[in-house]
Amino acid sequence: DGVSEVLAPHGESLRDKFIEIPCSEDYDSHKRFEGCTPRKCGRGVTDAVITREEAERIRRIAERGLSLGGSDGGASILDLHSGALSLGKHFVNLYRYFGDKVQDIFTEKDFALYRDVRKRIQQRIAQAFGVDSASMYLTKPTFFSRINSTEAKTTHDEYWHPHVDKVTYGSFDYTSLLYLSDYTEDFGGGRFIFMDAGSNKTIEPRAGRVSFFTSGSENLHRVEKVHWGTRYAITISFTCNPDHGIGDPVLM
């Protein structure tokens, strides 16, 4: 009924905030991996893992990649791992579609920063949940998102529906978001909302802010519609199942 609490205000730099919540039963229907599958569940926010300057550099990677395409609707996706790129109402494979031109867009330094940022986020999640970071594997989809107020043209553009990551993507055990732009300065709306019984818990994006959480239905969530401006973020997700692991992207 509109009861909302701001967990992470955009104007405040948070060292580490962590809230433990009871795990859902979602993990029971999947193979368990001791020392990794969540037994402690919850959500965390930190502004102390990635600097604002690094977030700006990462955002420039997203901007350059998305400049090659972009959705007709409000949400555009760039996945450096699979090469998936929004183009009009469809997706193309960035690496096949643009070929050698990709080398003019990205550098090895870009990919090295991407890998470094991913590792630091992985270590922070492992520390918060008391698991071994070596037992976590990057999983798909891991992607950049650019959201603006353009009207949705396909279901891919309808990012605002409540969902559970473990249900949507069975491989997810831990989800993280690295925000690459600032709420109220770069865009309006677009806050991240955990939908708990009785109230919403809101995270206001801030460049360099990482929010992370266990992927089960203990963390039902949605993103508010963006009303103006452009919101950039990167979703980086981890699985405990090595069969669902993917490698870091490589500049061909």
Side-chain angles (χ1 to χ4, degrees), residues 74-76 145-149 159 187 223-224 226 229-232:
S76 298
S145 57
R146 180 185 72 195
I147 305 175
N148 60 32
S149 59
Y159 54 83
F187 61 91
V223 173
E224 287 178 328
V226 170
T230 307
R231 175 195 194 267
Y232 282 93

Side-chain angles (χ1 to χ4, degrees), residues 129-226:
F129 291 103
V131 300
D132 178 6
S133 75
S135 68
M136 296 164 62
Y137 302 88
L138 195 62
T139 193
K140 61 182 182 185
T142 280
F143 57 90
F144 289 106
S145 57
R146 180 185 72 195
I147 305 175
N148 60 32
S149 59
T150 313
E151 197 182 325
K153 300 291 191 291
T154 71
T155 52
H156 292 296
D157 299 320
E158 296 181 12
Y159 54 83
W160 52 82
H161 299 298
H163 64 280
V164 171
D165 289 349
K166 188 79 183 156
V167 174
T168 308
Y169 315 104
S171 62
F172 282 28
D173 289 304
Y174 301 95
T175 307
S176 74
L177 289 137
L178 166 58
Y179 296 107
L180 305 174
S181 48
D182 291 301
Y183 172 67
T184 74
E185 287 176 38
D186 299 312
F187 61 91
R191 295 181 305 169
F192 185 96
I193 298 171
F194 290 110
M195 303 174 71
D196 294 344
S199 77
N200 289 333
K201 306 288 192 303
T202 304
I203 291 174
E204 297 180 344
R206 169 189 165 98
R209 171 166 287 172
V210 177
S211 72
F212 58 90
F213 48 94
T214 43
S215 307
S217 50
E218 66 278 359
N219 281 313
L220 174 69
H221 60 274
R222 69 181 183 89
V223 173
E224 287 178 328
K225 285 187 182 182
V226 170

Side-chain angles (χ1 to χ4, degrees), residues 65-71 77-99 102 156:
L66 285 160
S67 72
L68 297 172
S71 162
I77 297 298
L78 166 65
D79 182 334
L80 291 179
H81 302 263
S82 68
L85 171 71
S86 300
L87 190 66
K89 292 186 178 65
H90 307 283
F91 288 93
V92 295
N93 184 307
L94 169 81
Y95 302 116
R96 282 206 295 271
Y97 197 82
F98 294 100
V102 170
H156 292 296

